[in-house]
Amino acid sequence: MGAEWSSGADLWQWRLWASRFVEDCIQEAEGRLELHQELDWLLLAVTDLDRLALRLGSVQQRPQVTLQRSLEELSLLWQQRLQQRVPIQYLLGKMDWRDFRLTVGPGVLIPRPETELLIDLAQAAIAEHELSALAPMQWADLGTGSGAIALGLARSFPQTVVHAVDCSTDALKIARTNTQTLNLTDRVRFYQGLWFEPLAEWRDRLDGIVSNPPYIPSEMVPALQPEVAHHEPHLALDGGADGLDAIRIIVSQAPQYLKSGGTLLLEMMLGQAEAVVALLQQEGQYQQIQIHADWAGIQRFAQATRV
């Protein structure tokens, strides 16, 4: 895709049109605010502008702005965003997560900002066990999707090999693309299958297991935001009747794959912490069970150590 150009004045007029389009299409005030913010994110992603130029309107004085998409293409994207509620990440085919950029598409769940905290928790777990981040380790990322967690682990632990598992061919294709882009193909290995099925050779050998599994109760999936319910893969969302189907499998099987002292980290939804703690306790092979909140104060992550 070659570079396009626009005058600053024309781009500003397009932004005004796009803002009015939000007001015409979206009724909820909160939804409008989010989309106005997203509009500026879109422009920052496809132009050489900075946030200050948009905020102050100084872009209008620029004789030329470099665009990755023409104004006509941007109009079509924005119409899809508002009328069909297609996530902007899918329309652009990319997004930023932690300190790197990911390719994303309809075949994978869009990584959420709060999931970034799983990498921080993995780093903290290594420090608590008085291990060096530079030590050679073997970690697994179950349900890798775009590969975000696996890549975050590989970048955090430079001598670590991450074994990334997903049952989706589409997801693995995108994850491999991201791994190649970040030059991590030597340290992130991909496996197609359900949870631990492809990892038989790694029994009792893993230092850590991380997963952001599907955890939404089945009956709640159709009621999610249209961007999620109508566009993101239900395979990555639907966690069964109570949302805990995948978590039960991981909790029950992880002790067979973790070394003694190995770390298990799981993401979950609001209201599941008590049930997840009970599952970990009932298994009888975990200690140091902890629940961690996300930035919004929601009990989002469970951590446990293999006895």
Side-chain angles (χ1 to χ4, degrees):
M1 184 181 300
E4 300 276 347
W5 291 271
S6 168
S7 71
D10 285 346
L11 184 61
W12 190 255
Q13 287 302 311
W14 183 89
R15 183 175 182 266
L16 292 175
W17 166 81
S19 294
R20 289 194 297 269
F21 199 29
V22 171
E23 300 301 315
D24 292 340
C25 292
I26 306 299
Q27 302 300 317
E28 307 84 12
E30 183 177 353
R32 287 178 175 178
L33 176 61
E34 290 177 358
L35 282 163
H36 284 302
Q37 294 170 342
E38 198 171 282
L39 173 59
D40 282 353
W41 180 83
L42 168 63
L43 288 174
L44 292 171
V46 301
T47 70
D48 58 350
L49 297 173
D50 58 38
R51 195 173 298 278
L52 188 61
L54 287 177
R55 184 177 300 162
L56 299 180
S58 58
V59 60
Q60 298 177 79
Q61 281 71 55
R62 288 183 55 170
Q64 182 172 288
V65 177
T66 302
L67 300 170
Q68 296 175 15
R69 309 284 183 102
S70 69
L71 293 181
E72 291 77 11
E73 289 176 304
L74 286 179
S75 295
L76 290 173
L77 288 179
W78 199 236
Q79 288 169 11
Q80 286 182 276
R81 177 69 189 96
L82 296 185
Q83 295 175 336
Q84 300 174 33
R85 304 295 288 270
V86 181
I88 196 69
Q89 294 91 338
Y90 287 168
L91 293 172
L92 289 175
K94 63 183 179 181
M95 64 171 294
D96 292 328
W97 195 81
R98 284 186 73 86
D99 58 344
F100 51 91
R101 178 158 289 181
L102 292 167
T103 292
V104 292
V108 297
L109 189 76
I110 297 168
R112 272 47 174 186
E114 58 267 23
T115 303
E116 296 180 11
L117 290 171
L118 280 171
I119 309 301
D120 298 327
L121 291 172
Q123 293 171 335
I126 293 301
E128 286 172 11
H129 294 157
E130 298 183 350
L131 296 172
S132 169
L134 298 176
M137 292 181 285
Q138 305 287 335
W139 281 67
D141 172 23
L142 304 181
T144 193
S146 66
I149 293 172
L151 294 168
L153 290 171
R155 287 165 66 90
S156 297
F157 306 137
Q159 303 301 318
T160 290
V161 174
V162 184
H163 306 276
V165 179
D166 207 291
C167 62
S168 166
T169 301
D170 291 339
L172 288 173
K173 182 178 179 180
I174 289 174
R176 286 190 175 100
T177 296
N178 286 322
T179 304
Q180 291 164 0
T181 300
L182 293 172
N183 297 314
L184 288 169
T185 53
D186 59 328
R187 293 198 296 109
V188 180
R189 301 175 185 171
F190 292 101
Y191 307 77
Q192 186 166 9
L194 287 171
W195 310 119
F196 292 99
E197 285 178 0
L199 299 180
E201 65 179 292
W202 295 100
R203 287 175 180 264
D204 300 314
R205 297 174 63 189
L206 296 177
D207 296 277
I209 296 169
V210 181
S211 184
N212 177 20
Y215 51 66
I216 307 295
S218 300
E219 66 178 12
M220 292 179 61
V221 173
L224 296 171
Q225 289 179 305
E227 289 84 349
V228 179
H230 299 163
H231 296 284
E232 295 197 65
H234 285 199
L235 185 67
L237 298 167
D238 191 337
D242 62 358
L244 297 173
D245 283 2
I247 290 176
R248 284 192 184 90
I249 292 171
I250 295 169
V251 167
S252 66
Q253 296 184 15
Q256 302 170 41
Y257 294 83
L258 286 169
K259 297 176 181 177
S260 177
T263 298
L264 175 64
L265 286 166
L266 295 169
E267 183 168 331
M268 59 194 168
M269 70 177 289
L270 175 67
Q272 292 179 335
E274 185 176 345
V276 173
V277 167
L279 289 172
L280 290 163
Q281 291 173 336
Q282 290 164 13
E283 196 60 35
Q285 299 189 67
Y286 298 102
Q287 59 186 352
Q288 299 173 329
I289 298 169
Q290 304 173 62
I291 296 296
H292 302 280
D294 63 16
W295 292 306
I298 294 171
Q299 292 184 318
R300 178 72 64 184
F301 309 103
Q303 177 179 344
T305 302
R306 172 76 165 90
V307 173

